[in-house]
Amino acid sequence: MLFVGQRGFWDEQQRVAKLQEKKPILTHLTESIPWETFRPLLDKGYSQECKSNAGRKRIDPLILFRKPMLQQLFNLSDEEVEFQVNDRRSFEEFAGLGVMNNIPDATIVAFFRERLRKAGVIEELFEMFEGYLRDQGLEARGGQIIDATLVPVPKQRNNREENKGIKADRLPDGWDENPNRLQQKDLYARWLKKNGINHYCYKNSICIDAEHSFIRRFIVTPANIHDSQMLPMLLDPENHDDYVWADSAYAGECIEDLLSLGGFEVASIKRARAITLLARAA
């Protein structure tokens, strides 16, 4: 007969040790990356903040920053990374959180990322992080997997004239007079019909390192931009392996010509759902 008792402190410690042995990469990054070097750039996102000590103490920006890093590495949405940090101990540890800490939700992370975007430091932060990955021997290798995923956003309640102006990349009349309303409007997401279903969303095009499964490059566009248009900006010249995998969205003579100009030889393109070999270095 088996008896299940209450877990003690040492049981939890042994559980964490076993998890770290089986999936050591995130633990290795947590311990080896000098996270404090990111702080000067992260603090720029709070440079315009009121300096009053009143109110709730702000969350350490380093904790908030590690969640977008998980998103980059594993292609997670704000809601997905919130769930994974709650569900997976390795993600929780990487984010700098313990079992007694409250985990920032998706909305907080989204607001934080918007602060960094307005401060103009996002690209520099990601480049620093990529540099540390290379320093730890996690260079891009094993070939490249190119893919695109839809990122849904709340549907907008605009009239026909307002939508006409947005599609023409023009701010609808009167919107600039109400900044609070404007902050709640999305001017860049677009509709896309896929498998007979209409989606209002963005498109996240990514280049994945086939060996480590880390995302090395990404581009976010309105959903109506075709996948293939992002290929030139996604291909990673630093990947040690010559192969590129993609699906049929990247097929066509223009893509073949582009790959040839980049020194790639088109190997095979199959119109199937599964990712297939697209090209290898000539």
Side-chain angles (χ1 to χ4, degrees):
M1 182 178 292
L2 296 175
F3 294 92
V4 180
Q6 184 177 2
R7 285 193 311 184
F9 173 78
W10 297 111
D11 296 319
E12 179 66 11
Q13 192 175 52
Q14 288 180 333
R15 171 176 172 267
V16 172
K18 288 180 180 179
L19 288 173
Q20 291 175 345
E21 288 175 4
K22 292 184 177 181
K23 192 69 173 177
I25 290 182
L26 287 180
T27 302
H28 176 66
L29 293 179
T30 301
E31 296 173 349
S32 59
I33 289 180
W35 295 101
E36 284 295 328
T37 61
F38 294 97
R39 191 176 293 280
L41 285 175
L42 295 173
D43 284 340
K44 289 184 179 181
Y46 292 89
S47 60
Q48 303 299 322
E49 197 173 58
C50 177
K51 300 191 181 297
S52 171
N53 292 324
R56 199 173 190 178
K57 185 179 179 181
R58 79 177 190 186
I59 300 172
D60 186 345
L62 277 175
I63 291 177
L64 294 175
F65 172 63
R66 293 190 194 191
K67 293 184 77 172
M69 292 301 98
L70 287 169
Q71 290 179 283
Q72 179 199 2
L73 293 175
F74 300 104
N75 191 27
L76 301 172
S77 68
D78 291 342
E79 289 74 19
E80 286 171 337
V81 77
E82 178 185 348
F83 171 78
Q84 293 293 348
V85 171
N86 275 282
D87 187 61
R88 298 172 64 172
R89 187 58 182 266
S90 59
F91 277 42
E92 181 185 70
E93 293 287 340
F94 180 83
L97 298 163
V99 293
M100 299 304 293
N101 292 105
N102 291 324
I103 295 176
D105 61 25
T107 303
I108 293 175
V109 175
F111 275 121
F112 174 72
R113 187 171 53 249
E114 181 63 14
R115 284 177 177 269
L116 297 180
R117 186 190 67 79
K118 289 181 177 179
V121 298
I122 286 184
E123 291 298 326
E124 189 173 352
L125 286 165
F126 276 93
E127 287 175 5
M128 285 179 62
F129 186 72
E130 178 69 21
Y132 287 130
L133 288 181
R134 290 194 295 268
D135 291 343
Q136 298 303 316
L138 297 173
E139 296 99 341
R141 61 180 77 237
Q144 307 175 56
I145 301 171
I146 308 296
D147 197 14
T149 57
L150 300 182
V151 183
V153 297
K155 297 177 182 178
Q156 304 290 290
R157 307 298 179 186
N158 306 322
N159 59 43
R160 185 172 298 178
E161 286 300 315
E162 290 173 336
N163 284 330
K164 185 177 179 181
I166 292 172
K167 289 180 180 179
D169 295 323
R170 175 176 53 81
L171 193 65
D173 295 338
W175 280 24
D176 57 344
E177 299 173 2
N178 190 342
N180 291 331
R181 181 191 181 194
L182 187 58
Q183 286 182 347
Q184 301 176 27
K185 292 294 184 179
D186 195 320
L187 302 177
Y188 304 105
R190 292 293 184 269
W191 286 97
L192 175 72
K193 191 169 187 177
K194 185 174 182 179
N195 299 326
I197 301 174
N198 290 319
H199 302 269
Y200 187 69
C201 54
Y202 287 91
K203 185 176 290 183
N204 187 20
S205 300
I206 57 177
C207 174
I208 305 172
D209 170 14
E211 179 166 324
H212 300 297
S213 300
F214 286 167
I215 295 173
R216 298 292 181 167
R217 291 189 171 193
F218 70 95
I219 304 169
V220 179
T221 64
N224 60 342
I225 303 297
H226 195 272
D227 299 6
S228 60
Q229 295 185 38
M230 298 299 106
L231 185 60
M233 292 171 279
L234 290 172
L235 289 173
D236 183 2
E238 297 183 3
N239 196 293
H240 291 201
D241 196 275
D242 298 331
Y243 289 92
V244 179
W245 287 266
D247 60 22
S248 59
Y250 299 89
E253 290 185 11
C254 292
I255 295 298
E256 293 180 22
D257 292 341
L258 172 66
L259 290 169
S260 296
L261 287 173
F264 289 92
E265 174 188 352
V266 176
S268 65
I269 300 176
K270 298 179 181 178
R271 294 190 175 276
R273 291 185 179 180
I275 292 177
T276 55
L277 179 62
L278 176 67
R280 62 168 177 260

